[in-house]
Every structure is written in C-alpha cells, then in structure tokens.
Amino acid sequence: METEQLLLFGIVLFVVGALSALVPVKTFRIVPYLLSLIGSLFFLSLGLILTAITPVSYQALSASSIFEFSLRGDALAGFFIITISLVASAVSVYSIGFTRNLVHAGLSGFFTNILILSLYAVVLSANIFTFLISWETMAIASYFLVTLNRSDEASRAGLFYAVMTHIGTAFIIALFLLLYRSTNRMDFEGMKAGIAAMPTMVKTVIFIFALIGFGTKAGIVPLHTWIPRAYPVAPPHIAALMSSLLVKMGIYGFLRISFDVLGQGPEWWGITVISVGAVSALLGILYGLIENDLKLFLAYSSVENVGIILLGIGASMMFKSNGLAALSSLALTAALFHVLNHALFKGVLFLGAGSIIHSTGSGNMEHMGGLLKRMPMTGLFFLAGALSICALPPFNGFASEWLTYQALLLGYQSPSVTAKIVSPLGGAALALTGAIAAAGFVKAFGVTFLGAPRTAGSRNAEEVPFPLVVGMALLAIPCLMFGLFPGPALSFLMPAVYALTGASTTLEHHGMLGVSQTSAALSPIGMLATMTVMMIAVMLFIRMKGGKRKTVYGDSWDCGIPGLTPRMQYTAKAFTKPLRIIYKRIYLPSRDINVQYILKPFFVKSIRYGSEITPFFERYVYEPATRFIQAVAGKVKLLQSGSLNLYLGYILITLILLLIFAS
Amino acid sequence: MEYFQFLVIILFSPLVNGVIKKLKANMQGRVGPGVLQPYYDLLRLLKKDMVVSTVTSWIFKATPYIVFTATATAAVIVPVLSTASPYGMMGDVIALIYLFALARFFMALGGLDAGTSFGGEGSSREMTVAILVEPIMMLALFTAAISAGSTNIVRIATVHPAVFSPSHLLALTAFMVAIVAETGRVPVDNPDTHLELTMIHEGMILEYSGRYLALMEWAHYMKQMILFTLAIDIFFPLGIAQSGNPAILAAAVVVYAAKVTGMALLMALVESTRAKIRFFQLPSLLGGSFVLAFLSLVTHIMMGK
C-alpha cells in the first residue's frame, strides 16, 4: 500500500509539474522544477523500499489482456529508480537557476518532467505494452528537448537521433514479438516462466536483437553515432539527463531481456558482450580525446563508459553460463555500480560544462583558460567529476572499475580457453581506456580551467548562480562519498544482483571492499587516511628542515624573452597531437596544405593548412547506407506517378493477388 | 617492525637514484657525484625560497603534496622486506597502479597551470607515454596475478610461482620496458636533460622550484624504487621474509639490497648503452613490449605455467 501511494504521488507531481510549465507566467518558471525535485524524492524513497522488499505489481487501466497498462517494481527497477532519482533531483535544482537562459522555457519544463517520468515508467514497466509506450514517450520527449533551440544543426541532430532511436525500437519490437510468439505472454514475468521451452536458436536471435536494439540507446560502437550529434546541441541539463540516465535505459532493457527474461545463454553471448564493450570503450574515448568541444568530448566519453559497463555485464553473462554464480554476481555488481557512478559523475561533468557555457558563452576548450580562479566552485566540482571518471582513487569510479578488473581477471577460472584469454584482454583494454580517459580529462580540465584566459569571454567569466552550484554539488559529493564508502551504494544494487544471478557475494566489510576469490582488498578510506597522515608528516618535515621560506610571485618562464601571451599556451589541439599521430590508423587523418608563392620556392605568400579526421563509421557505414536507402526510395517513387488510373490498377492487382493467396 | 617497512622506500629512494647515477657515471668513464648527492639536493631545495607564476591557481600548489602523498601511499601498499605486511588490506596491485595515475594526473595539471608551452608539452607527452605503458603494465601484472590467483601483492609474493617459466620471463621483460618508460629513463626520456624540446618529465615540472620541486623529485625517486620493489615482489620474491622474525628480516634486508642494486645496475646499463629514441618511435618499442605481455598471457593459459 505504502509503495503504491509513493508511486501515485510521484506520478502526480511530475504530471502537474509538466502542466504547470505550460502556464505562461514568468514567476511560475521554477515551479515545474520544484515539483520534479519533490517528485524525484518520492521516487527515491520508492526505489529504496523496492530494493528491500519482494516485487510488487500495480495494475492500472486494463482495457484488454493485450492493452494493459501495468507496472511492477522489483529490485532491479528499484536500483535504477534510485539512480534516476539521484540525478533527476540534482538536475532539477540546477534547472531552477538555469531555466531563464532557455529559449522555450515553458516547453522545456514540460518535456523535462515528461522525460523524467517516462524514465521511471520504463524501469517499472511490467509488460510489453507499457514498456513500449514509456520507451516511445522517452524518445519523443528527448527528441523535442534536443531540437528545442530550432537551429539547423539541432534539427539535423534531432532527425538523426529520431531515426537511430527508431531503428533500435524496431529491433526491440521484433524481439518482443518473438518472445510473445513462443511464450504467449505479454508480461515479463510470464515470459520468464515460459522461456524454458524456447528453442536456443530463437533465444540467440532475441539476444542479438536485444544487443542491437538496446545497444542503440546505450550507444555501443558502431551504433553510437547519434550520441555525439544529439548531446552537444541539447541544453546542458538535458544532456546531463540523457547521458546519465537515458543511455542507461539501454543497459536496463538489455539486462531485463537478456538476463532476467532469457536467463542463461551460451558462453559466446558473454564473450560477444565483452568484446563489444571493449571496442566501445576504446573507440569511444579515442574519438572523444581529439574533440575540443566540451560537450562533444563528454558525449564520446559516455560511449566509453557504456563500454566499461558492458565489460562487467559480459563477464557476468560468461560466468553465469559456466555455472560460476558467485563470480557472475561479482561482475554484475561491478557493472551496476558503474551504472550508478557514471550517472553521478557524468551528470556533474555535463552540468559543469553547462555552467562554463553559461559564463563564457562558448563550449570550445580553445576559447577558455584560467577559469578555476574565476569559477572556483564549478572548477572544484568539475575536477571531482573528472577524477571520478578517470577512476582515480579515492573517488567512486575507481571502486567500480577496480571491481570490474577483479571480475575480468577471474575470467581465467572459466573452462574455455577463449574466455580465459578474452577476459584479461578486456582488462588490458580497460587499462588502456583509463589511460586515454586520463589524458582526455587532463586536457579538458587543464586547458579549460588552468593557465591564462584565451579570450575575453573566459577573462570576464564569473561564478554561476547559487542553484547551479548546488545542483553540481549534489552530484559531486556522492561521487566522493560512494568512493570512500562503497557500502551504501552496494546495498542499493545487491538485491538486484541477487535476483539476476542467484548468488550474492558480500563485498563490503567495515568500509573495505574485498574479493575473496582473488584475496584482494581495497580500502579507499584507508588510502585517504594514509594520504592525510603522509601529508601532515611531510609538511612537518619540511617545516623542520626547511624552516619558513618566502614565495616570490612572478611571470611564467619565458626563455628570457618577455611578453608571454595566452596564445602561446599549449592548446587542446596540440595536447592530443602525439596521439593523433600514434593512432593514425584509427583516425585516418587527412591533411591539406595549400602554399601560395610569390616566387617559388623561396618567397611564400600564404600557407593554408587544414586537417581532418575521417569519421570512420559515418563515412564507411552510415553514408553508404543512407545512399542506398535514398536510391531505393527513388525507385519506389516511380510507383507514385499521380495518375488515378494507375492507382486503381494497383488496387485491382492487389485484389487479384489476395484472392489467389487467400483461397 | 613490518608495519614500518614503507619507510625503507621513503628514506632510501634518493639513495637508489644516487647509486644509479654513480653507476652510470662509472660506466661512461666519469667519476660522477657521490651516491648521497640526491639527499643534498633535496635538502638544498627545501631551504630555498620559491618562485611561483602569477598565472597559476591552487592546483599548482596542491600538486606537489598530492603527488608526494599518493606515491607515499603506494609505498605503503607494496611489501618491501616482509610479506607479513598488514597493508595488503588497503589496496592491491591495481590500486598501486592507479595511485601512480592519480599522481600523474595532477602532475600533468601542474604542468598546464603556468600557461607555458613547455609545461603543456611535457604534460601532453607524459600522458601519451602513459597511454602506451599502462596496458603493458596491466597485462604483465595480470599474468602474474593469474598465476598466483590473486592481485594482492603480498599474496603474489608469497605464492612463489615457478620463477623461470616462459610466461614469467616474457611478462618480466615487458614489465622491465614499462619500468624504463615509467621512470622516465633513456631510451624513452632523458632524466638528465634540460633541453626543452626533448624533455618529458622535466618539462612538466619546469615551473616548480624550492620545496615544491623537492617534493616532486622525491616522489619521482620513490616511484622508481616502488616499481623496482614491485618487480622484485612479483617476479623474483625469493628471500623476502615471511614473518617478522628479526634474523629472517635481517637476511631479507641483505637480499633486498642486493636485488635493488641489481635493478639499479640494469637501469644504468640500459641508459649507458642505449640512445634516446625519437618520441614517435616509442609506439614500436612499447608496442613490441605489449606483444610480449600478451604472449606471456597466452603462454600461461596454454601451458599452465
């Protein structure tokens, strides 16, 4: 009863919030976000309860046995509800201060509320019908939010997003139909019960469809192409919602179908997922590294993190099919923990990027510099997010990646040789990804916040208003807390892990993570304590040996030629040049040097230099596909001549054909 | 006693660097400074006033302390003389690598903070080298961890795997190349150069002076000794004390000192006989070493040793 009321209150708050956004009164503008804040707190308590109790079903609006709108809350849904609520509440607070910058503040508030509500609906859906309705609502709301500022770029990005997401949805519908055909049930619980009788071949097809369909939403390579288009044009708080939560719905759907409903599959499923995860993580961050637009860089980094999550999920599936339930549970814990962590730190990074754009008027790193002095709080929280996403101790990203390493390392306990080799290689890919991400975030933070300001926009930047700071803090503080004390975070997701893998491993003892299978332990709080003790010791030592010395402030080293200007600083582009050269087989750079001479070859008039990275998947996969579809569409157009007689002829032919085949 | 074995690394790491320098000088037919020179340098730096650029932010000032403390924490994790170390509960070999990554992250930020080309160049190159080295290191350590069934360094050192199995030799070779790169030595970087266009590590810390520089240098010495110790613990742990018994511990001190001297000799030998290679030839050197690490993994899985 209690959960039902929480659910009802939550839904009502979001619906009222959405409607209140349409009231065209200026002072009313913060109301939708206040309501979504309160609504997400209601859902937060619902999520906390759901992880602790047996699953509950909520029946509503039953028109027929097929078109039945019903919700079901279980531990997995509970965990995702907690994740959504943590991010949604922070984004709501942030939006309170941010909304006055928006072009269509009313519509934006409306769709933001609808989007958050649809996220909750997706994870609570009990049957196909509810799921698809929520899934589409989510897609449509986010489409409108992406295209809200109505620039050409936004419309193109929006169209691309809409097409990609519907290709994904097509696969999802197909897999639902397959499930329905063989189990004759519309609800996930019923399907799960009837799955045993399903032939392996059909299961495999469903698995592949799930990987493609949900993978499109999650942004796995090569289905990731909508992400770097949609996020940069979306307003930053929407980009935060999309990157932190919307892509996680892909992960949720994949878990629901391939873990919960399908149960156990052959080993190669897991190995496939590990490989897809490794490729997504590596290519995602490699493409991100060279981008100098903050939001674009963060968008690619989402692709990377989805890859890391899939490494954990894949390892978990692989262990499950080999009957190693305890290891499966360890790997899934790592994956779900990273789902939560990525939602938090990517949220704070996107909100931070939003604050920077708000203050400087630009999203390009090359236009910035020295922002840490001008925006100290934004800088601090962005740094916390960057440290977390680079998996540096003692932040939360480290805890979940550490668990992922442990899980991948334990792959050697699988019986098959492929698994034994693939999973440590996944670990090496994770190490490489981590190092590239660190380079990327050194660049993003260093060029943006450190050094001297490169433009007037960054020179005159000021700290953002209070609600924006609070919004970022609400995400940055849990990043540190869940890193130091992983216990509470793990308690959100352990019930879900137990429900999916049938085993539970206690990983946390007295604030310490411990994996008994590798006798490895990790105590982030111990690390922090050691660092603090060392800090005090070395400060005392310096004071003792060095005494008090004065600090002289002067110019940076300029090789003896005075007149260092901000333009002489290392740029973001220069920072990644070595990697563009080293990974040229991946980037396929093309350069174009055009020299004009006054007198060849001695007197040069002008040099134009251009270089471009070949977007591999766009050029060799998407462009040919688009051309093919356009060509086919051109041919099909011949049918539509405009002549009435011809159309009547079509009807006649169809009728005859029907008569032939139907009889 | 074993609770304080990390002090060996904190206190003697400058000495190890002094020994490498001395050995290198002797091999090159020079007398070279005394082995205690790094201590004198550190003390001298501590007593100096500092010049700090007005462009910098708090990151610049926090970096030396973060780099030092992160490295010192890594020193606590790694067992030096005795496997009766209680700090295996704090972190494993992965935590150790990521503490180095934390230090490197801030060092690279410190390089960018003064807004000069050299700092940025050093940061960019350091992060690039890290990208090339990190997977090698992880894969080599994974092979060792798989054969010991643990990522806990104490455990790996205790299990005593067959030291001269093919997979271990391959992993060891790969790991050694990674150590050369991580400690900024020839042929990857030149620790003695201050020529702007060739330096990596030195470029990054160019703006630092006084006690900040002392902390950075000291941390660099510690990192070097930790990596030596890690290689010793993982690839030839024979002789490490298994308990806190004073006699065994005394023997362990001798064995450890001999092994570290051996590592120092190897480093001096490599530095004296190799020339620094061009930055963009690094991928072939490190790529080759990645292949070795991969082969060691495959060998271990196929042959079981």
Side-chain angles (χ1 to χ4, degrees), chain A residues 586-607:
Chain A
I586 290 172
Y587 291 132
L588 304 171
S590 61
R591 56 169 63 191
D592 168 31
I593 303 172
N594 191 347
V595 188
Q596 289 194 329
Y597 297 96
I598 296 169
L599 179 64
K600 207 172 176 177
F602 301 110
F603 299 103
V604 174
K605 191 172 158 199
S606 68
I607 302 179

Side-chain angles (χ1 to χ4, degrees), chain A residues 400-430:
Chain A
S400 50
E401 283 198 23
W402 185 81
L403 285 174
T404 312
Y405 274 120
Q406 300 293 336
L408 289 170
L409 182 83
L410 284 163
Y412 77 91
Q413 295 198 353
S414 309
S416 86
V417 173
T418 327
K420 281 181 185 185
I421 291 178
V422 166
S423 57
L425 271 185
L430 186 56

Side-chain angles (χ1 to χ4, degrees), chain A residues 373 391 402 405-406 409 420 450 518-520 523 530-531 547 549-550 552-554 556-557 559 568-569 575, chain B residues 47 49-56 61 73 90 92 98 114-115 117-118 124 150-152 155 207 211 301:
Chain A
K373 284 182 177 169
W402 185 81
Y405 274 120
Q406 300 293 336
L409 182 83
K420 281 181 185 185
L450 304 179
T518 54
S519 17
S523 168
T530 313
M531 285 181 75
R549 296 288 152 186
K550 68 171 194 280
V552 184
Y553 288 90
S556 298
W557 170 239
C559 295
M568 294 175 189
Q569 296 177 90
F575 194 90
Chain B
K47 289 188 178 132
D49 289 344
M50 281 188 292
V51 183
V52 173
S53 165
T54 45
V55 177
T56 56
K61 292 176 180 158
T73 307
M90 191 166 76
D92 59 353
Y98 273 79
S117 301
F118 299 133
S124 160
S150 172
T151 54
N152 191 332
R155 182 69 178 269
E207 283 291 323
R211 56 189 51 169
I301 284 164

Side-chain angles (χ1 to χ4, degrees), chain A residues 263-599:
Chain A
Q264 189 177 323
E267 186 188 41
W268 67 265
W269 288 11
I271 292 175
T272 309
V273 175
I274 292 182
S275 317
V276 166
V279 169
S280 297
L282 275 177
L283 287 183
I285 194 65
L286 269 176
Y287 280 116
L289 180 72
I290 54 170
E291 294 299 342
N292 297 329
D293 183 281
L294 263 179
K295 274 161 59 183
L296 197 50
F297 167 59
L298 293 177
Y300 273 117
S301 140
S302 299
V303 177
E304 172 222 338
N305 278 282
V306 163
I308 294 174
I309 293 167
L310 286 182
L311 281 175
I313 293 180
S316 180
M317 293 173 76
M318 188 183 82
F319 288 133
K320 197 177 179 187
S321 40
N322 284 321
L324 302 163
L327 298 186
S328 174
S329 127
L330 166 68
L332 193 63
T333 307
L336 287 186
F337 195 13
H338 203 71
V339 165
L340 174 64
N341 290 341
H342 178 247
L344 293 170
F345 52 64
K346 190 47 69 64
V348 70
L349 287 167
F350 262 115
L351 295 185
S355 302
I356 294 167
I357 295 165
H358 173 97
S359 292
T360 64
S362 165
N364 188 339
M365 296 175 202
E366 307 282 31
H367 296 166
M368 296 175 200
L371 289 183
L372 190 59
K373 284 182 177 169
R374 290 159 183 82
M375 308 168 68
M377 297 314 277
T378 304
L380 186 65
F381 296 138
F382 195 90
L383 181 64
L387 290 169
S388 310
I389 201 169
C390 295
L392 296 174
F395 286 85
N396 60 354
F398 176 63
S400 50
E401 283 198 23
W402 185 81
L403 285 174
T404 312
Y405 274 120
Q406 300 293 336
L408 289 170
L409 182 83
L410 284 163
Y412 77 91
Q413 295 198 353
S414 309
S416 86
V417 173
T418 327
K420 281 181 185 185
I421 291 178
V422 166
S423 57
L425 271 185
L430 186 56
L432 180 55
T433 309
I436 301 173
F441 279 92
V442 163
K443 178 185 88 163
F445 185 83
V447 174
T448 309
F449 284 98
L450 304 179
R454 291 176 174 81
T455 58
S458 51
R459 203 159 39 244
N460 303 325
E462 281 173 10
E463 186 57 278
V464 288
F466 187 64
L468 276 67
V469 174
V470 175
M472 290 184 280
L474 281 176
L475 292 171
I477 292 167
C479 282
L480 182 59
M481 283 301 136
F482 287 161
L484 290 176
F485 308 101
L490 292 181
S491 71
F492 299 155
L493 55 92
M494 285 320 290
V497 171
Y498 182 72
L500 289 181
T501 62
S504 95
T505 39
T506 318
L507 291 167
E508 195 254 346
H509 316 266
H510 314 298
M512 199 177 69
L513 284 174
V515 178
S516 55
Q517 291 92 341
T518 54
S519 17
L522 178 76
S523 168
I525 187 84
M527 281 177 161
L528 187 70
T530 313
M531 285 181 75
T532 316
V533 172
M534 291 292 176
M535 180 86 82
I536 295 167
V538 78
M539 278 175 159
L540 284 176
F541 176 77
I542 289 176
R543 178 52 68 85
M544 221 168 64
K545 286 286 169 193
K548 215 170 161 55
R549 296 288 152 186
K550 68 171 194 280
T551 306
V552 184
Y553 288 90
D555 293 336
S556 298
W557 170 239
D558 49 16
C559 295
I561 305 163
L564 216 54
T565 73
R567 291 205 52 185
M568 294 175 189
Q569 296 177 90
Y570 230 52
T571 59
K573 189 131 191 147
F575 194 90
T576 53
K577 180 74 183 174
L579 288 158
R580 285 207 303 277
I581 294 175
I582 289 172
Y583 290 107
K584 58 174 180 285
R585 297 228 170 83
I586 290 172
Y587 291 132
L588 304 171
S590 61
R591 56 169 63 191
D592 168 31
I593 303 172
N594 191 347
V595 188
Q596 289 194 329
Y597 297 96
I598 296 169
L599 179 64

Side-chain angles (χ1 to χ4, degrees), chain A residues 588-642:
Chain A
L588 304 171
S590 61
R591 56 169 63 191
D592 168 31
I593 303 172
N594 191 347
V595 188
Q596 289 194 329
Y597 297 96
I598 296 169
L599 179 64
K600 207 172 176 177
F602 301 110
F603 299 103
V604 174
K605 191 172 158 199
S606 68
I607 302 179
R608 284 178 63 86
Y609 172 82
S611 85
E612 199 200 0
I613 300 291
T614 314
F616 183 82
F617 293 104
E618 273 85 341
R619 182 157 305 168
Y620 297 109
V621 179
Y622 285 87
E623 281 178 20
T626 316
R627 273 200 302 276
F628 173 75
I629 290 170
Q630 274 175 346
V632 172
K635 295 277 188 314
V636 172
K637 220 164 85 181
L638 294 176
L639 289 174
Q640 200 181 13
S641 64

Side-chain angles (χ1 to χ4, degrees), chain A residues 67-78:
Chain A
F67 299 109
E68 179 188 36
F69 201 85
S70 71
L71 302 175
R72 183 172 187 276
D74 61 1
L76 183 64

Side-chain angles (χ1 to χ4, degrees), chain A residues 22-45:
Chain A
L22 299 175
V23 178
V25 182
K26 271 223 157 143
T27 47
F28 233 67
R29 276 193 183 173
I30 64 169
V31 174
Y33 300 107
L34 281 177
L35 290 175
S36 70
L37 170 64
I38 303 168
S40 45
L41 294 179
F42 269 94
F43 270 107
L44 181 63
S45 27

